[in-house]
Amino acid sequence: MNYFPRYAGALLSAILLTAFSFNKGFQALNLSFMDTTINAGDDFYQYVNGKWMETAKIPSDRGRWGSFDELGKKADSMALKVLEDASKSNLIDPNTDAGKAVTMFGSVMNTKARNAQGAAPLDSYLEDINRINSRSELCDYMVNKVSLSESVFLGFYVGTDVKNSKQNTLYTFGASKGLPDRDYYLKDDDKSKQIRTAYLEFMSNAF
């Protein structure tokens, strides 16, 4: 039996969890998160992550929490700090990439202007959708909107070829659903019905 994927994942998780922890310097690995009372050969995952799982708390605004989530939150906080500081500076040329980022940040944070606009910025896109009357027109719409990273039934992206790392290849994927997967739409139990009812109410409120 090959245990390498699980061991590698556990070790990577432990390393990433503290990759951005700074306490009198860079801390690459927090050994206090390890449960050394466990025999590593019996359960390596518990050995590496045991103490962290006992002490870690899921933030109130999150449905899950792990090493990548923590790193993502820290990265977001650092990016936000950079944008906030930059937006207060008078030295940034608005025509540069940094200037454009500041302008975009200001636009997003201006909730009064956004609320005043409402859904008006979407009008041209909704009009394009309403004009679709055939399969060929739908295909044209899909092709034209790819450059906007919009997925209609199918999405596309270019990435490293998993069979040949020396070249890139085109990948396609199904567009995401509002609910996690098809079973949420097909199951007939009471909980599934409640979820669909709540989802429809959410979508109505959102629009």
Side-chain angles (χ1 to χ4, degrees):
M1 185 177 293
N2 184 3
Y3 291 98
F4 178 75
R6 187 182 183 195
Y7 287 177
L11 187 57
L12 179 62
S13 175
I15 292 174
L16 288 175
L17 184 62
T18 54
F20 286 110
S21 296
F22 289 86
N23 182 13
K24 296 181 181 180
F26 179 75
Q27 185 178 10
L29 183 63
N30 191 337
L31 299 180
S32 66
F33 288 152
M34 300 174 67
D35 184 359
T36 55
T37 64
I38 301 296
N39 188 316
D42 294 336
D43 191 337
F44 192 72
Y45 187 86
Q46 183 68 28
Y47 172 76
V48 171
N49 300 294
K51 293 297 182 182
W52 180 83
M53 290 190 291
E54 289 179 5
T55 59
K57 295 182 179 180
I58 299 177
S60 59
D61 62 337
R62 302 292 178 117
R64 49 164 279 173
W65 193 244
S67 57
F68 288 102
D69 301 289
E70 185 170 355
L71 289 179
K73 187 172 183 178
K74 289 182 178 180
D76 288 343
S77 297
M78 289 187 286
L80 179 60
K81 181 66 166 57
V82 170
L83 285 168
E84 288 176 339
D85 290 345
S87 64
K88 299 174 184 177
S89 174
N90 296 321
L91 303 177
I92 298 178
D93 183 347
N95 295 315
T96 63
D97 288 342
K100 293 175 183 178
V102 170
T103 300
M104 177 67 75
F105 176 68
S107 175
V108 171
M109 298 303 292
N110 189 347
T111 54
K112 289 184 179 180
R114 289 167 55 194
N115 290 337
Q117 285 182 316
L122 299 176
D123 287 347
S124 62
Y125 300 100
L126 296 176
E127 290 171 1
D128 288 343
I129 293 173
N130 288 332
R131 282 195 290 267
I132 298 174
N133 292 306
S134 65
R135 291 183 179 180
S136 61
E137 290 177 351
L138 175 60
C139 289
D140 290 339
Y141 177 88
M142 292 172 62
V143 171
N144 293 333
K145 298 304 181 184
V146 166
S147 61
L148 300 178
S149 298
E150 181 178 333
S151 300
V152 182
F153 302 128
L154 289 175
F156 302 90
Y157 71 96
V158 175
T160 304
D161 190 334
V162 295
K163 294 184 178 181
N164 183 358
S165 61
K166 295 181 180 180
Q167 65 183 24
N168 290 331
T169 190
L170 178 68
Y171 291 91
T172 184
F173 57 92
S176 61
K177 304 177 180 67
L179 297 175
D181 58 52
R182 67 189 296 273
D183 288 344
Y184 279 82
Y185 298 90
L186 301 179
K187 285 186 176 180
D188 206 33
D189 57 279
D190 290 339
K191 184 176 181 180
S192 296
K193 291 179 180 178
Q194 291 174 4
I195 290 174
R196 284 196 294 272
T197 299
Y199 178 62
L200 287 174
E201 182 178 349
F202 163 74
M203 293 299 292
S204 297
N205 292 335
F207 281 97

